[in-house]
Amino acid sequence: MVSENKSFSFKIEFPELKTHSQWASADYVLKKLQANGHEALIAGGAVRDLLMGRVPGDLDIASSAKPDEVEKLFLQQTVAVGKAFGVIRVIHQGHSIEVATYRQDLEYLDGRRPEGVVFTNRQEDAKRRDFTINALFYDPQTSVLYDDVDGKKDIQNKILKCVGEASKRFKEDELRRLRLVRFVSQIGFQVDPETRKELEVKIEGIQKVSKERITEEVGKMWQGPYLPEAFKLWCESGMAAQVDPAWERGAILNAGDIWKKPRDEKQKAWAHYFSFFLEEISLKNQFKLYKLPKDLEKFLEGVHQAYHSIPQFLKARKGEQRFQGAQPSFLLGFEYYIAKKVTGLETQKLTLILEQFKAADPLPEPLIKALHIQDQFQGPALGHQLKRLYLEQLDQNWQTSEQALSWLKQNPA
């Protein structure tokens, strides 16, 4: 039951908050700040998620306490991650709780960060935030929700709206354009018309955002349950082509039936992103646009190679098929081949083959290791023979090393 007290505050209970993994630590920090005369509230995304019935991520705290005061209260428990901007982390029972002093931002000079901040009150802090749904505050001790920008109403109406003037919010921090599309993907809200209009004004400003932050936001966007809706906004706003010029070549026309493919993990999300470009000869130029881990790039190249090798794979010997079919990147490439290249009865036939490989037992250990044949082969030749022997082992289902060595003796090439 929610009862409205004033235009900017509401009495509301969130019993699920006390089951959050960070609750004990957040409660400790809140109570200590409040006991020492400071206002301290849970802020931002955690409050939004509680109102939406979602499990919050981190329980961040906003407070009237200045950074020096936070450090003095918590002493060795603190880490000054962004003290100049009023941000101190408090470490408690293995959890890191971020405490941010209420602030106003000074002028933004580079389209990303303010030149400085002025410490202020809760109401002014709300005004400098990006979207109304992220400018909410909650006091668990009194069960009062503070809303100075109509964020609660926008959550009820499922609307994404900039705080104040949308043009100003985007000009201040160009990352907010990407965050908007990411939120559409994650929560499925409609974008307020004024915010939508300003989104694509001077869209080239997105070039001011670092590769690392673009990679982070695009990755989160691609894992969202409402990606098809966000994808439309991503393309129509011109943001897609600003981030990755390959979108200008009409990659969406090659989409095929891929929207139901899994995207719930980082690897699968990025494989889905690059599945739009599987007809490209090389992905390396597109990789340069992002800051992806090398192991992820290798996985994505494996998906790409598999996609292009399925016709040859279907004609290969059993050993080669067993080996390739046990590789996660190969199986994902096979999925996209079916989705984008195949129709009719062929779809059913190849889907059955794919499912058989997914259900297959793990591959056995190689019967022959380097120490068995290193007196006969060295360097690259040794690696070549080991792979050759293993594929034959899978093909012929050998059970002993004697069978393998006997075959090698008869087939030394």
Side-chain angles (χ1 to χ4, degrees), residues 152-169:
K152 179 174 175 287
K153 184 174 75 173
D154 288 338
I155 289 175
Q156 291 172 334
N157 294 332
K158 298 185 176 181
I159 294 292
L160 273 166
K161 181 191 298 182
C162 284
V163 174
E165 297 177 26
S167 59
K168 184 178 179 182
R169 293 286 88 82

Side-chain angles (χ1 to χ4, degrees), residues 72-89:
K72 185 177 179 181
L73 272 178
F74 296 97
L75 300 174
Q76 287 83 7
Q77 291 177 280
T78 62
V79 180
V81 291
K83 188 174 180 179
F85 293 92
V87 181
I88 301 290
R89 281 185 187 156

Side-chain angles (χ1 to χ4, degrees), residues 259-274:
W259 289 110
K260 294 181 181 178
K261 295 303 173 189
R263 296 176 283 101
D264 55 326
E265 300 169 4
K266 186 176 182 178
Q267 280 188 334
K268 291 178 180 178
W270 280 103
H272 191 280
Y273 178 95
F274 285 109

Side-chain angles (χ1 to χ4, degrees), residues 296-311:
L296 178 54
E297 288 189 357
K298 185 176 180 181
F299 177 86
L300 295 172
E301 286 176 344
V303 173
H304 184 261
Q305 290 165 5
Y307 176 83
H308 287 282
S309 68
I310 297 302

Side-chain angles (χ1 to χ4, degrees), residues 1-3 9-20 23 27 30 41-56 59 133 136-147 151-152 155-156:
M1 180 75 178
V2 179
S3 62
S9 65
F10 307 85
K11 193 83 170 178
I12 184 168
E13 299 282 349
F14 293 119
E16 65 273 26
L17 182 59
K18 296 184 180 180
T19 65
H20 192 283
W23 168 247
D27 187 47
L30 286 165
L41 307 168
I42 294 176
V47 186
R48 174 199 68 221
D49 289 341
L50 287 166
L51 278 170
M52 293 178 62
R54 291 157 44 107
V55 177
L59 300 182
I133 65 170
L136 299 161
F137 303 87
Y138 182 66
D139 186 348
Q141 317 306 327
T142 61
S143 300
V144 172
L145 174 79
Y146 295 97
D147 178 8
K152 179 174 175 287
I155 289 175
Q156 291 172 334

Side-chain angles (χ1 to χ4, degrees), residues 151-205:
K152 179 174 175 287
K153 184 174 75 173
D154 288 338
I155 289 175
Q156 291 172 334
N157 294 332
K158 298 185 176 181
I159 294 292
L160 273 166
K161 181 191 298 182
C162 284
V163 174
E165 297 177 26
S167 59
K168 184 178 179 182
R169 293 286 88 82
F170 290 134
K171 183 180 179 182
E172 287 173 340
D173 185 355
E174 296 290 346
L175 180 65
R176 288 169 177 163
R177 300 179 194 271
L178 273 170
R179 281 171 57 81
L180 178 68
V181 182
R182 190 248 291 180
F183 281 126
V184 171
S185 181
Q186 289 181 325
I187 61 180
F189 285 12
Q190 296 293 310
V191 180
D192 168 72
E194 182 63 23
T195 298
R196 173 65 181 85
K197 184 180 79 172
E198 293 298 331
L199 175 66
E200 57 190 83
V201 174
K202 298 183 178 178
I203 193 71
E204 65 276 6

